[in-house]
Each structure stands twice: as C-alpha cells, then as structure tokens.
C-alpha cells in the first residue's frame, strides 16, 4: 500500500505541513495544536503521493547505456570522418584536446538542461497518476530527442548573434575558447545549484545571462564601455520573450481552465485523483498528449542552444570541415556568384564609392556599435566582392583552399550581420533594387554558413533525452506539490501543459528561446488561482527570487570565468 500524504494547515499560523503516515494514529503538532490526519481526511484534502522512488527496470538501464554508447560512437566516428575528408592538417594536439573538452562541456550543458527543465513536462502526468514516474520520464526523454532532431536551427543561430562579434571572428583563438568555456560552465553551475534546491529556474535565462556576462567582460577588458559588448537589440528581443512567457503561461492557463469549465461539464475533469488510480481513459489520453507536446516543443527549442554553441566550437577549431557548408552543390556556384555580383554592383551605385580601406574593420565596428556611417555600404560592397571572387575562383564552397576558408567564413558572417542591421537602420538610404539584392544574397550566405551536421543534432538529442531520465525528482516535487495548496486536478494539468506546448512551439517558429520552466510552473500557478485552490506563497517567492537572480548571477559568473580563462589561455 502506498503511504498517504496529508497537506495540513495550521489554524494559528496558516502554515502548511506535509506528513507521510501509514496509520491514523500519528500526530503532527504546530503552534501547540495537534494536526490530525483523520481531520484532514474528513476535509477531503488527503492525496496519495506517486511513488517517486521506484527503481528503474533493468531494460531501461540497458537502453540508457546503449543510447549513450551509440551517441558517443556515432559522434566520434562522424567527427573523425569529416575532419579526415576535409584534409585538415594536424600540427598540434592542443586544439583537438580543447575541441574534445568543449564538446563534452556543451553536451553536459544539454544533459543538465534535460533533467532541470524537462521535469516540468512530466510533473502533471505523474501527479495525476496518468503515467508511472519511470514510464513518464522515458516517454518525455524520447520526445525531447525527437524534438531536437526535427528542429530548424533558427534558435541556435539566434543565440550566437548575441555573442561579441570580435570573439566570433576569432573563436578558434584562446579568447574564443575562454568565451565558450566561461559561458557554458557558468550556465551549468547555476543550473545545478537551482536544481539542488528544487527551484525550476530557466536554462534559457541562464545561458543568455552567461552570454551577456562574457560580452560585457570582453568590452571592459578591451577598455570600452561594457554596454558595447552585447547586441542589446537582440538581447532585448529575447528578454521580452523570457519576461512575457511566465505571464503568458499564468494568464492563458487560468483562462483556458475557466473556458474548459464553461464548455466541458464533465465533473471528472476537475477532480483530484482518487487514491492512486489513473484517470478515465479520455482524460489520461489528454494529459499524455500534452506531456508529449511539451517534451517535443522543449527539445525543438532548448536543444538548439547547445547545437549553436557546438557549431561555434567546430568552426573555430576545424574550419576546413565546418566553416562552410560542403553540402552546397557545385552547380549552385554560378547562381551564388551572379547574385553576389549583382548585389555588389547595386551597393557601389548607391554609395557612389568604389573602394574603402579595411572594410572588415568598418563592418566589425558597425555590427558592434550599430552606428551607421557613409563607409558601411561601400565596405559591405567590398566584402561581397571578395566573397564572389573567392567562390568563383574555387568553383564551389568545398574547393576553397584551406588557408582562405576561415577568412571567407568570417567575411560571410560580417556581411550577413551587416545586412541584418542595415535593414533596421533608417540612415542607410538604399534603393529598392539594392534591398532586394541584399535579401537574396543574405539568403545565399546564410545557407552557406548556418547549417548543422546530423551528428551534432543526434549528439545533442541524446544528451537532452538521457538527461530527462535522471535527476528529475527534485523539480517534479516542486511543481507537483509546492505551488498550490491542493492537489493538481486533471483539468489543471491539461490546461497548464497545453498552454506551455503552444507557447514554446510558437517561440520556436519565430526563432526565440523561451523557458519551459517559467511557462509551465507559472501555468500551474495560474490554474490554481483560477480554481481558487490557493497558492503556496513561500514557493512562489523562491521561484520569483530565482527568476530575478538568474540573469545577474549568470552574468557575474561567466564574466569572472571569462576574465580568468582568458589569462589561462
């Protein structure tokens, strides 16, 4: 028989106390007043807690180890084959040692992300007894994995655009490795700390804070204003999505529950679980469906952050293999060159200038400061001309000489980012034809640089999926027991997860990182408020404190680590 968990409220201080008991003779005392289990039973507030300590079946353990080994072998073989086929010359083992360490840390971040964030997706199905805990986490892990595999990559490269431009251009240098290590280690430290305390903090929030911290530290170390080290427009855009997502989760979940009450009159949907029995089949299917959707959406959104950072590491360490998309066919070269030449010509006509000195420095400064001047357009034209000449002479992206690959990649990155900011600048008075050509050329160079190899997707998918299957209990208990004063009903669980699934899926379509944690935990709170079930304010205060502290703590950690590691490297 499972033990009975009582949620008792002291009539003097109003505090809640949880008590596990096997009989009705046990007694809990608060403020000198006995709090008896039988009284709680008579009020209908007794619930059977799911067995969160159930041991994994041997088959699931074998599957876990097998998937881990497969991921390791597949990633290692693919990486070796692609480096070998690119004819990368190995002169020293140090860059490859750093590459291995960086990849392990990046996949470690995704593993921690798995058991930190995805526990939110399974809390509702576990606490409504729709699925046993062990089955729920394996089910969620599988759909996290699938979500990563079918993701678009838009979020991955949106995250990279937050990083300081000069560090992206020199990511294979000591400063570049210091940047990657600092932001990943800082994010892992904060995620593990909040997980240990059972606080559902946001991994997205943490990673973005780490990126901003590195950007600010890099600017200060170069003697510039700290605010110049970050693309604040992009950071603000992402910040809005992170700030609004919990508000959206709370409000929409509350409204959806009220709408369900109006449209669906079946009382079973709004009742607490009876003992440890699963809900009626149609409610169970609904809850499993929403859990599946949240897991899939989480994988497709959060998994991309690790992919973007891994690609940055690969481009810096082995540019011959990963700086440019070798899958682009040679037959496409003529079209690429034609678009580049048309774009260059239209920019030269608009600017009235043929040449500028140091076009790379001009564009780098423009991307960093967002301050437009008359040299930007001709500098962009010069960069596009350089790209066109190099690709035309080589015949295809895969045939570009090794000594030129990194420079071509950097030129493409500078051109893409400069075009993005020119489009937003009112000062850049370009003709409609020039704007049309720039848009076409940006599409071409993004296709040449913004790609993710299959093995990177598979590795991140496995890391995130396996992470879901371990360490989930602490966050599940917080979401399932410590947000509301009453047990989660079937309707509350379905409303919160349905809103989370739609919100995260929509954010993925627009290339915005959002927090599964914030959306779902605030959604549960919203349903509790709509149901007038009462909220445990001590838990909500802790969640709000973690939400407020995440950004400054992550910035401080990553900035400090970047300063330290830049001295080491």
């Amino acid at each position: 028989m499972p033990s009975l968990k009582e949620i008792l409220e002291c009539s003097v201080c109003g505090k809640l106390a949880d008590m596990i008991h096997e009989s009705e003779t046990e007694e809990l005392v608060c403020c000198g007043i006995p709090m008896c289990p039988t009284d709680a039973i008579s009020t209908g507030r007794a619930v059977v807690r799911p067995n969160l300590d159930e041991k994994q079946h041997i088959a699931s353990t074998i599957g876990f180890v097998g998937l881990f080994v497969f991921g390791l072998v597949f990633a290692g073989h693919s990486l070796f084959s692609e480096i070998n086929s690119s004819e990368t010359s190995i002169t020293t083992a140090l860059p490859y040692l750093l590459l291995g360490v960086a990849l392990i840390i990046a996949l470690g971040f995704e593993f921690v992300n798995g058991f930190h964030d995805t526990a939110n997706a399974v809390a509702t199905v576990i606490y409504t007894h729709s699925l046993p805990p062990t089955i729920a986490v394996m089910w969620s892990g599988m759909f996290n994995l699938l979500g990563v595999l079918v993701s678009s990559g838009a979020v991955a490269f949106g995250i990279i655009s937050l990083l300081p431009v000069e560090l992206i251009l020199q990511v294979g240098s000591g400063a570049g490795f210091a940047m990657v290590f600092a932001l990943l280690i800082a994010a892992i430290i904060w995620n593990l700390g909040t997980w240990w305390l059972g606080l559902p903090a946001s991994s997205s929030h943490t990673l973005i804070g780490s990126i901003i911290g590195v950007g600010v530290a890099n600017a200060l170390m170069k003697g510039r204003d700290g605010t110049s080290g970050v693309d604040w427009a992009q950071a603000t855009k992402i910040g809005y999505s992170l700030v609004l997502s919990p508000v959206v989760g709370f409000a929409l979940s509350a409204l959806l529950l009220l709408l369900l009450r109006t449209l669906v009159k079946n009382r079973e949907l709004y009742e607490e679980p009876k003992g440890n029995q699963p809900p009626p089949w149609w409610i169970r299917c609904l809850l499993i469906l929403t859990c599946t959707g949240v897991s899939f959406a989480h994988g497709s959104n959060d998994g991309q952050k690790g992919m973007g950072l891994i690609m940055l590491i690969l481009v810096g360490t082995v540019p011959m293999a990963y700086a440019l998309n070798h899958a682009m066919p040679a037959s496409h070269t003529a079209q690429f060159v034609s678009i580049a030449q048309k774009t260059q010509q239209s920019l030269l006509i608009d600017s009235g200038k043929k040449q500028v000195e140091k076009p790379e420095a001009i564009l780098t400064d423009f991307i960093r400061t967002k301050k437009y001047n008359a040299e930007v357009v001709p500098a962009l034209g010069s960069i596009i001309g350089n790209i066109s000449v190099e690709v035309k002479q080589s015949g295809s992206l895969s045939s570009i000489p090794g000594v030129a690959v990194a420079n071509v990649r950097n030129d493409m990155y500078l051109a893409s980012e400069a075009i993005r900011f020119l489009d937003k600048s009112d000062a850049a008075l370009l003709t409609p034809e020039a704007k049309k050509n720039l848009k076409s050329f940006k599409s071409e160079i993004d296709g040449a640089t913004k790609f993710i190899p299959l093995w990177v997707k598979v590795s991140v998918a496995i890391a995130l999926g396996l992470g879901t299957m371990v360490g989930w209990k602490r966050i599940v208990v917080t979401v399932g027991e410590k947000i509301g004063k009453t047990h989660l009903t079937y309707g509350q669980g379905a409303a919160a997860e349905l809103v989370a699934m739609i919100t995260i899926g929509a954010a993925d379509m627009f290339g915005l990182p959002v927090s599964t944690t914030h959306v779902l935990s605030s959604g549960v709170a919203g349903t509790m408020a709509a149901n007038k079930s009462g909220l445990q304010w001590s838990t909500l205060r802790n969640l709000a404190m973690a939400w407020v502290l995440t950004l400054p703590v992550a910035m401080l950690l990553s900035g400090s680590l970047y300063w330290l590691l830049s001295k080491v490297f």
Side-chain angles (χ1 to χ4, degrees):
M1 287 291 291
S3 58
L4 205 58
K5 179 173 181 181
E6 307 300 352
I7 306 174
L8 308 177
E9 184 174 345
C10 176
S11 58
V12 176
C13 65
K15 291 182 178 178
L16 296 175
D18 295 345
M19 179 171 64
I20 304 294
H21 68 90
E22 300 289 349
S23 69
E24 297 183 359
T25 61
E26 299 177 56
E27 184 174 87
L28 186 66
V29 177
C30 183
C31 300
I33 299 174
M35 299 167 68
C36 179
T38 53
D39 294 336
I41 292 172
S42 65
T43 64
R45 298 184 69 188
V47 295
V48 176
R49 188 189 195 199
N51 182 13
L52 302 179
D53 298 316
E54 181 182 354
K55 292 184 177 179
Q56 293 279 358
H57 192 274
I58 185 65
S60 63
T61 303
I62 293 173
F64 183 97
V65 174
L67 198 56
F68 174 80
V69 172
F70 168 78
L72 197 64
V73 172
F74 180 69
H77 177 265
S78 300
L79 180 61
F80 178 79
S81 299
E82 288 171 2
I83 292 175
N84 192 47
S85 63
S86 68
E87 299 180 356
T88 301
S89 58
I90 301 176
T91 56
T92 173
L94 181 59
Y96 297 94
L97 178 62
L98 291 175
L99 170 62
V101 173
L103 289 177
I104 290 170
I105 295 174
L107 292 174
F109 167 76
E110 287 298 341
F111 184 82
V112 173
N113 185 5
F115 66 73
H116 188 282
D117 279 23
T118 319
N120 296 278
V122 298
T124 53
V125 289
I126 290 175
Y127 273 86
T128 55
H129 304 295
S130 298
L131 285 175
T134 52
I135 301 297
V137 295
M138 286 191 290
W139 181 264
S140 178
M142 179 174 66
F143 280 93
N144 263 282
L145 188 150
L146 291 175
V148 176
L149 291 178
V150 302
S151 59
S152 64
V155 174
F157 296 105
I159 285 287
I160 289 177
S161 67
L162 285 174
L163 294 166
V165 59
E166 61 265 32
L167 291 183
I168 293 178
L169 298 179
Q170 302 172 19
V171 73
S173 65
F177 277 110
M179 170 188 70
V180 172
F181 286 161
L183 65 90
L184 284 173
I185 293 171
I188 290 172
I189 289 172
W190 182 248
N191 275 350
L192 286 176
T194 51
W195 165 80
W196 182 258
L197 297 173
L199 295 174
S202 166
S203 293
S204 302
H205 204 167
T206 304
L207 184 60
I208 289 165
S210 298
I211 290 172
I212 293 173
V214 167
V216 171
N218 179 66
L220 292 174
M221 288 169 64
K222 292 184 180 300
R224 300 196 302 262
D225 181 0
T227 59
S228 68
V230 178
D231 179 358
W232 290 107
Q234 181 73 359
T236 302
K237 181 182 174 183
I238 292 173
Y240 280 141
S241 72
L242 291 174
V243 170
L244 292 176
S245 55
V247 177
V248 169
F250 184 95
L252 292 187
S253 297
L255 290 173
L256 181 57
L257 183 65
L258 295 175
L259 183 64
L260 281 174
R261 283 186 171 278
T262 303
L263 300 178
V264 183
K265 299 298 183 181
N266 193 317
R267 292 182 58 186
E268 289 180 308
L269 186 61
Y270 314 108
E271 293 177 351
E272 298 177 359
K274 297 179 176 66
N276 61 352
Q277 295 300 309
W281 69 268
W282 67 276
I283 296 176
R284 192 177 191 185
C285 289
L286 175 64
L287 290 165
I288 293 174
L289 176 65
T290 54
C291 167
T292 303
V294 171
S295 300
F296 183 85
H298 175 266
S300 68
N301 192 280
D302 273 41
Q304 294 191 54
K305 297 162 189 137
M307 289 192 288
L309 293 171
I310 287 174
M311 286 309 299
L312 199 62
I313 295 164
L314 291 171
V315 167
T317 312
V318 277
M320 274 293 292
Y322 298 105
L324 299 173
N325 188 0
H326 292 173
M328 183 178 287
S331 58
H332 189 74
T333 303
Q335 178 182 327
F336 182 97
V337 172
S338 174
I339 292 174
Q341 290 174 343
K342 284 174 60 179
T343 306
Q344 181 191 19
Q345 189 63 29
S346 61
L347 291 179
L348 292 178
I349 292 172
D350 277 16
S351 66
K353 292 187 178 182
K354 300 251 181 205
Q355 269 188 330
V356 292
E357 294 183 3
K358 299 181 179 179
E360 292 86 357
I362 292 171
L363 292 190
T364 300
D365 188 64
F366 171 59
I367 294 168
R368 181 173 55 81
T369 64
K370 316 302 180 293
K371 294 179 180 178
Y372 176 81
N373 61 66
E375 301 289 302
V376 171
V377 171
L380 179 57
S382 295
I383 290 288
I384 293 173
N386 294 342
I387 296 170
S388 172
V389 169
E390 195 65 61
V391 174
K392 185 178 181 179
Q393 288 178 347
S394 302
S396 68
L397 295 181
S398 58
S399 302
I400 294 176
V403 293
V405 166
N407 286 335
V408 173
R409 161 81 189 207
N410 285 347
D411 283 351
M412 287 184 175
Y413 175 79
L414 285 173
S416 178
E417 290 296 285
I419 293 170
R420 181 164 70 91
F421 291 119
L422 270 177
D423 190 47
K424 300 175 182 178
S425 174
D426 295 330
L429 301 176
L430 299 174
T431 61
E433 183 183 0
K435 289 181 179 179
K436 180 182 176 182
N437 289 336
L438 282 174
K439 184 177 180 181
S440 299
F441 182 69
K442 187 176 189 304
S443 176
E444 291 288 333
I445 55 177
D446 284 351
T449 56
K450 295 182 178 181
F451 66 99
I452 300 172
L454 177 63
W455 72 265
V456 174
K457 279 194 172 187
V458 170
S459 301
V460 170
I462 291 175
L464 190 65
L466 293 182
T468 303
M469 301 179 194
V470 300
W472 48 270
K473 181 178 174 181
R474 291 177 183 272
I475 308 295
V476 163
V477 170
T478 298
V479 175
E481 300 179 18
K482 298 181 179 180
I483 292 179
K485 290 184 177 181
T486 61
H487 194 282
L488 197 70
T489 67
Y490 305 130
Q492 288 173 321
E497 287 214 323
L498 190 60
V499 167
M501 178 179 72
I502 294 172
T503 303
I504 298 165
D508 189 35
M509 289 175 60
F510 289 102
L512 293 173
V514 295
S515 167
T516 304
T517 304
H518 287 164
V519 175
L520 193 60
S521 56
S522 61
V524 171
T527 62
M528 290 290 176
N531 208 37
K532 298 181 180 178
S533 305
L535 296 168
Q536 297 194 45
W537 290 105
S538 59
T539 300
L540 295 184
R541 280 195 300 271
N542 290 338
L543 292 177
M545 185 177 296
W547 183 84
V548 170
L549 290 177
T550 292
L551 199 64
V553 170
M555 288 173 61
L556 184 62
L557 274 174
S558 64
S560 302
L561 282 170
Y562 174 71
W563 176 83
L564 178 63
L565 292 173
S566 63
K567 302 297 182 185
V568 173
F569 284 116

